[in-house]
Amino acid sequence: MTLWDGELPFYPGSRLAAGFSVPLLIVILVFLALATSFLAILPGIRGRSRWFWLVRIILSLFIGAEIVAVHFSAEWFVGRVSASTSYKAFSAARVRASVGLQVGLEGINITLTGTPVQQLNETIDYNEQFSWRLGKNYAEEYAYALVKGLPDPVLYVAEKFSPSSPCRLHHRYRLAGHYASALLWVAFCLWLLSNALLSMPVPLYGGLALLTTGAFTLFAVFTFASISSVPFCPLRLGSATLTAHYGAAFWVTLATGILCLLLGGAVVGLHYARPGALRIFLDRSDKDPEGQAKGGSPLILSKPNLQTTTRL
């Protein structure tokens, strides 16, 4: 490293605040485009079937989008603390800053924001990501962060999640992320299967596929919760301690799993209790009174004595 105004460490790149995940944004845009495409054809559907289609499209796309989006969210386990802490190595200077931690299925995200942002003639606004997904090496990314010269609070939190740390956070949360991600991808495949079956005259199997989707989604949530339920390693920054809790992605995934169970149970229950109501909701009714009233009587062909009768 080289000197930068006589102080170490150095951070030659631009410092950016925590931004929106690009893969997460792509997932949201794709499902919004699908929703817009389906909603565009709603005016062409007559009668009450239009509203049934609207409910089915919104619920189905929400479930699919949520299952995919949480893979790229860092809001599974989150924490934030404001503390007065050291800022640079080999320096006694201290800053007042807010340190944030976000743990996702594929890695962690650490933010450091000064309060105020301008301190020590610098802009203290960092957003750093360390990944353990397949194909990535957390230890190499942490070593590169040391070479790059990130601030002490960021390096301190990142070191707690390194493979060599006695806290063993890396081992626990990496396994939690891998298992939860695999179960969620299975749930996504079952969601696709449930949509295909509910579009066919086999609603019972569609409901069972939806029940299985909810079960695998809940398995993913419980897997993450059980593996990460070991007491969290203390993260002390100055006189403050960073404490973490389950974030929005965890709770939304839990709610989605319960929603799938309720919807799948409703489909299976209606199949046995009120099949007619289920056919109406799934647009499987044999007759459409409103459509026949508008379209007139059908064509009737009879063959008594080779006589053909047409009624219009």
Side-chain angles (χ1 to χ4, degrees):
M1 295 188 297
T2 58
L3 290 176
W4 181 268
D5 294 335
E7 295 183 355
L8 294 174
F10 318 106
Y11 193 82
S14 58
R15 304 164 190 177
L16 302 177
F20 204 72
S21 172
V22 175
L24 181 60
L25 179 61
I26 293 174
V27 171
I28 293 176
L29 291 178
V30 168
F31 277 91
L32 283 178
L34 289 174
T36 303
S37 301
F38 280 110
L39 293 177
I41 67 175
L42 280 181
I45 302 176
R46 296 179 299 177
R48 56 188 177 184
S49 297
R50 176 186 308 168
W51 308 112
F52 294 153
W53 265 89
L54 177 63
V55 173
R56 289 175 56 192
I57 289 171
I58 292 178
L59 288 177
S60 180
L61 289 181
F62 168 78
I63 292 172
E66 195 279 334
I67 292 175
V68 177
V70 293
H71 284 87
F72 310 104
S73 173
E75 294 286 334
W76 281 81
F77 205 63
V78 298
R80 180 169 294 276
V81 65
S82 296
S84 176
T85 179
S86 61
Y87 179 54
K88 295 182 177 182
F90 313 109
S91 174
R94 301 180 70 85
V95 295
R96 185 73 182 177
S98 174
V99 181
L101 170 66
Q102 297 173 311
V103 182
L105 301 183
E106 297 184 341
I108 65 172
N109 198 82
I110 305 172
T111 59
L112 176 68
T113 306
T115 50
V117 176
Q118 296 291 336
Q119 297 184 51
L120 302 178
N121 296 323
E122 292 190 25
T123 300
I124 304 175
D125 200 358
Y126 294 84
N127 174 39
E128 301 297 329
Q129 186 175 10
F130 301 86
S131 177
W132 52 57
R133 68 174 179 266
L134 297 178
K136 295 289 185 178
N137 190 316
Y138 187 98
E140 291 182 358
E141 293 187 4
Y142 175 69
Y144 178 70
L146 290 173
V147 174
K148 190 165 60 172
L150 294 180
D152 274 2
V154 176
L155 293 175
Y156 171 76
V157 177
E159 189 275 334
K160 293 295 184 181
F161 284 86
S162 64
S164 59
S165 173
C167 290
R168 295 184 61 82
L169 294 177
H170 178 272
H171 177 73
R172 284 158 41 193
Y173 284 93
R174 181 177 62 86
L175 285 179
H178 288 347
Y179 285 126
S181 179
L183 290 170
L184 285 174
W185 282 122
V186 174
F188 178 72
C189 295
L190 290 169
W191 170 78
L192 293 175
L193 179 62
S194 67
N195 279 277
L197 292 174
L198 289 173
S199 300
M200 301 177 184
V202 283
L204 174 61
Y205 299 107
L208 293 176
L210 200 54
L211 280 173
T212 314
T213 301
F216 273 91
T217 304
L218 292 180
F219 288 159
V221 172
F222 295 150
T223 299
F224 186 87
S226 62
I227 296 178
S228 61
S229 61
V230 182
F232 196 69
C233 184
L235 302 178
R236 295 185 176 89
L237 297 160
S239 59
T241 301
L242 192 155
T243 58
H245 54 85
Y246 295 120
F250 178 90
W251 296 114
V252 173
T253 306
L254 177 62
T256 302
I258 296 175
L259 176 63
C260 289
L261 290 181
L262 293 176
L263 293 176
V267 171
V268 174
L270 287 174
H271 173 77
Y272 289 107
R274 299 189 61 185
L278 180 60
R279 286 197 299 269
I280 292 175
F281 181 76
L282 297 177
D283 198 22
R284 294 283 181 273
S285 56
D286 298 330
K287 296 182 180 180
D288 187 355
E290 185 174 339
Q292 287 193 11
K294 293 181 180 180
S297 57
L299 179 67
I300 301 177
L301 298 176
S302 59
K303 195 178 179 181
N305 299 324
L306 300 178
Q307 181 181 5
T308 302
T309 305
T310 305
R311 188 176 60 187
L312 300 175

